[in-house]
Amino acid sequence: MHPILCLVAAAAGPVFALTIQSAGSNACLNLTSSLGFSRVATSQLDPEYISSRGDYWNVRQSVYAPSCVVHPESPQDVSVAIQAIRAADSRFAVKAAGHNTNNFFSSVDGGVLIDLSSMTAKSYDSATTLATYEPGSNWGQLYEYYQQYGRTVMGGRLSGVGTGLALGGGLSYLSPQYGIACDSFRELEVVLPNGSIVTASSTSNPDLFFAMRGGGGNAYGVVTKYTVQSRAIGNFYAGNIVWLFQQKDTVLEAIRDFIAYNTDPKASILPTYEKLTTPDLNLNLDELITMFLVYDGEDPGTAFDNFTRIPHIIDTRSIKTYKEVADMPVPFTAELTRADNVFRSGVHRIEDDSYNVLLETWREWAETHKASYIHTGFYMYPVPRSLTDGSHAQGGDAMQLPDGPWYWTAYDLATPPGLPNAAYNAIQESFREMVESTPNAPGLPLFLNEAAWDQDPLATFSSFETLKQIKNKYDPDGFFATRTGGWSFD
Ligand SMILES: Cc1cc2nc3c(=O)[nH]c(=O)nc-3n(C[C@H](O)[C@H](O)[C@H](O)COP(=O)(O)OP(=O)(O)OC[C@H]3O[C@@H](n4cnc5c(N)ncnc54)[C@H](O)[C@@H]3O)c2cc1C
Ligand SMILES: *[C@@H]1O[C@H](CO)[C@@H](O)[C@H](O)[C@H]1NC(C)=O
Ligand SMILES: *[C@@H]1O[C@H](CO)[C@@H](O)[C@H](O)[C@H]1NC(C)=O
Ligand SMILES: *[C@@H]1O[C@H](CO)[C@@H](O)[C@H](O)[C@H]1NC(C)=O
């Protein structure tokens, strides 16, 4: 038996483990006969299997060994896979670019991994200005493609992240102008939990469309094609400013002022406070503040002056294409650190002055636990009034964003790969307590995309009861609810 299955067997009893394994194997056997070996990798030595299993931002997911990896090439393939998994009563996971950090959201142990990365068709229609894309590209690939038309689609701030981001809302540098990514959805092609292929839009299955706009992936079905409103772009004025931590409070006040006072929706910031475990050549580089400044246009006016006038050690501002913005070379930042990564998230109002407490609480924890991690970051995501107006103007979404300004926080923790469970769980619990020690602002939704599995973000949505009903309608026998990971609807 494979060592991982031995671990499962030890934890849960041998009969249970063998049941998982044989249900997965049965589904895979069926799929190799219906889809063929080119689309189904059953051997752990197959390069397709190795790359699907190995490519997770939280590398702890790579420990899990699916019974096979399916690479569908069409919605029909996805439908066949879902029906075979159902017939075998196997577990499964749906994976786009594998950046979600939570166990079993896009990974599976002893079941079927549906890896969407072969579905990469994309198009642009200049008559309607609508764009379509299948789920298998990452944002960098999509931005590069649409750039030739002087357009882009609403997606992540870093190239490597995948399209699952938009199902969880999706914060973009362009969000202050156009709302979160899912607000730009116009039509989705969806394979339902019963294998039917349907269209979700404001006129076709509108309840499903509502839920899939920010209500999270792997709950209501599998999206096989997105049709979205594209956005006009030209060049950007963008770069990273890096400060030493001695400027942390000055920078924090400037962030606060930006959240409270900035009125130019073309100006976006992504502030990141970062701590690394090792002192870097005694240059005080074990802690840094990296600010992403991004302006949609070549002239930002005075929008960023409150940041740029604070003495800094690195400044990479220049005119960039949107793809270059998403690729910004950022020393020490998260995307580069593939490790046992987790996210946790928070939400706050600027008036309650909790921002000082949040930064200090995280930094003190990071100091105290320095030996336990490779990297930890504290991030603040402004949600200005223009963003929430832009969201509401497009019909609203599952998040039902209350009027800005307010802000999301996110925290990441990268621990060394392969920590024993006891040590891993202890550091996670301590990190959780640190984040939970400052209460969230009531009445605001958590940032689902970077919430930890135990944070129950859907319960913070004002639409939660509606989402539950929609979930029950489209997944009536709880097939997705019990056979793949994801957010709780209880
Ligand atoms: C370095 C980094 C940068 C990030 N930057 C941003 C950012 O700028 N803005 C932001 O909003 N978030 C950001 N995130 C968070 C990100 O949105 C989430 O991690 C998101 O879940 C990643 O989507 P994915 O497709 O890469 O991952 P996956 O783990 O493959 O998918 C995420 C979830 O969606 C489900 N899913 C994916 N595709 C489908 C589909 N077609 N149909 C049904 N379910 C599906 C999966 O089952 C899984 O549960 C970032 C994360 C990282 C690690
Ligand atoms: C094989 O999968 C198909 C769906 O493609 C399903 O209808 C059938 O019942 C499955 N067969 C078995 C033996 O599970
Ligand atoms: C810069 O900060 C000042 C307060 O110090 C504030 O009045 C002003 O609006 C800020 N400018 C911008 C563009 O955020
Ligand atoms: C699949 O589920 C949808 C939504 O619940 C339903 O309308 C449809 O009739 C179902 N299809 C089949 C073949 O059962």
Side-chain angles (χ1 to χ4, degrees):
M1 199 191 286
H2 187 273
I4 287 131
L5 285 169
C6 289
L7 285 179
V8 173
V15 176
F16 181 64
L18 286 172
T19 310
I20 293 177
Q21 190 184 31
S22 63
S25 308
N26 288 343
C28 293
L29 198 63
N30 189 347
L31 285 168
T32 44
S33 73
S34 55
L35 297 178
F37 282 99
S38 66
R39 276 169 278 178
V40 184
T42 50
S43 161
Q44 293 189 16
L45 302 176
D46 185 318
E48 297 276 358
Y49 185 108
I50 291 171
S51 74
S52 293
R53 182 186 182 187
D55 187 18
Y56 287 98
W57 190 67
N58 173 5
V59 301
R60 215 169 169 86
Q61 305 301 311
S62 304
V63 170
Y64 304 129
S67 303
C68 63
V69 180
V70 179
H71 284 91
E73 291 169 10
S74 66
Q76 288 73 26
D77 288 356
V78 173
S79 171
V80 165
I82 291 290
Q83 291 177 64
I85 292 163
R86 197 181 247 290
D89 198 21
S90 166
R91 288 192 63 84
F92 71 101
V94 176
K95 181 187 181 198
H99 274 52
N100 193 289
T101 58
N102 294 312
N103 280 352
F104 308 129
F105 275 50
S106 51
S107 58
V108 63
D109 207 11
V112 180
L113 179 61
I114 302 178
D115 182 335
L116 299 168
S117 63
S118 299
M119 296 182 69
T120 57
K122 16 181 131 48
S123 73
Y124 173 65
D125 179 348
S126 59
T128 60
T129 68
L130 295 177
T132 72
Y133 57 86
E134 289 183 340
S137 301
N138 67 29
W139 296 110
Q141 291 160 338
L142 291 168
Y143 298 159
E144 183 155 49
Y145 173 79
Y146 292 109
Q147 217 157 258
Q148 65 184 302
Y149 304 106
R151 311 291 300 188
T152 198
V153 292
M154 295 293 289
R157 292 163 295 185
L158 295 182
S159 283
V161 186
T163 54
L165 167 145
L167 297 175
L171 195 59
S172 151
Y173 289 124
L174 304 178
S175 288
Q177 297 178 74
Y178 308 114
I180 49 180
C182 64
D183 294 322
S184 289
F185 289 175
R186 294 295 177 265
E187 189 176 292
L188 302 173
E189 179 184 74
V190 186
V191 178
L192 295 180
N194 65 10
S196 301
I197 303 170
V198 302
T199 299
S201 70
S202 60
T203 52
S204 168
N205 297 302
D207 51 357
L208 179 64
F209 189 56
F210 176 83
M212 296 205 99
R213 284 174 109 180
N218 71 336
Y220 320 93
V222 183
V223 178
T224 47
K225 189 169 81 178
Y226 297 83
T227 303
V228 303
Q229 178 58 59
S230 70
R231 306 295 174 182
I233 47 149
N235 281 333
F236 284 71
Y237 176 87
N240 292 123
I241 303 272
V242 177
W243 294 279
L244 297 177
F245 253 49
Q246 66 206 47
Q247 301 290 2
K248 70 182 170 53
D249 297 322
T250 317
V251 173
L252 190 63
E253 287 306 318
I255 296 166
R256 194 214 85 91
D257 287 342
F258 187 90
I259 296 174
Y261 304 124
N262 173 57
T263 52
D264 186 344
K266 290 177 184 289
S268 266
I269 63 168
L270 167 52
T272 74
Y273 287 80
E274 323 250 356
K275 280 192 72 90
L276 298 154
T277 183
T278 353
D280 188 325
L281 309 171
N282 292 328
L283 293 173
N284 285 331
L285 295 182
D286 64 320
E287 48 184 11
L288 289 172
I289 310 160
T290 303
M291 174 68 73
F292 294 64
L293 299 175
V294 176
Y295 194 83
D296 179 8
E298 295 191 2
D299 178 9
T302 58
F304 300 136
D305 289 0
N306 283 346
F307 299 111
T308 54
R309 66 180 162 71
I310 304 171
H312 42 266
I313 56 166
I314 296 177
D315 179 357
T316 68
R317 283 176 298 156
S318 67
I319 306 295
K320 293 180 167 71
T321 66
Y322 195 45
K323 171 69 165 51
E324 286 167 347
V325 169
D327 282 340
M328 286 206 296
V330 278
F332 313 122
T333 48
E335 176 69 340
L336 303 176
T337 319
R338 296 217 171 202
D340 285 4
N341 286 310
V342 299
F343 277 125
R344 306 196 78 85
S345 70
V347 62
H348 301 276
R349 294 185 190 278
I350 204 68
E351 305 82 25
D352 64 20
D353 282 347
S354 52
Y355 57 95
N356 281 307
V357 178
L358 295 168
L359 178 60
E360 282 315 309
T361 307
W362 166 78
R363 192 191 184 212
E364 194 186 306
W365 185 91
E367 285 289 315
T368 318
H369 294 80
K370 218 165 162 29
S372 314
Y373 59 82
I374 299 170
H375 174 274
T376 180
F378 171 68
Y379 310 97
M380 295 169 75
Y381 304 156
V383 180
R385 176 65 189 259
S386 63
L387 185 159
T388 56
D389 285 351
S391 177
H392 302 154
Q394 293 173 82
D397 55 38
M399 289 198 180
Q400 297 283 296
L401 299 173
D403 288 346
W406 40 273
Y407 63 102
W408 279 307
T409 55
Y411 304 77
D412 76 32
L413 177 68
T415 51
L419 278 185
N421 282 341
Y424 181 79
N425 293 341
I427 184 80
Q428 295 300 330
E429 178 56 19
S430 162
F431 192 61
R432 187 188 71 78
E433 282 169 10
M434 180 274 293
V435 174
E436 305 291 310
S437 69
T438 313
N440 288 314
L444 295 175
L446 268 184
F447 188 56
L448 178 136
N449 271 341
E450 291 177 4
W453 64 274
D454 59 312
Q455 288 194 291
D456 219 3
L458 289 178
T460 67
F461 289 18
S462 58
S463 63
F464 187 43
E465 291 304 320
T466 310
L467 293 177
K468 268 191 202 174
Q469 285 166 17
I470 300 169
K471 167 80 171 169
N472 286 336
K473 175 174 166 188
Y474 288 94
D475 188 22
D477 57 355
F479 171 51
F480 273 48
T482 56
R483 293 292 173 265
T484 186
W487 302 116
S488 166
F489 283 81
D490 297 330

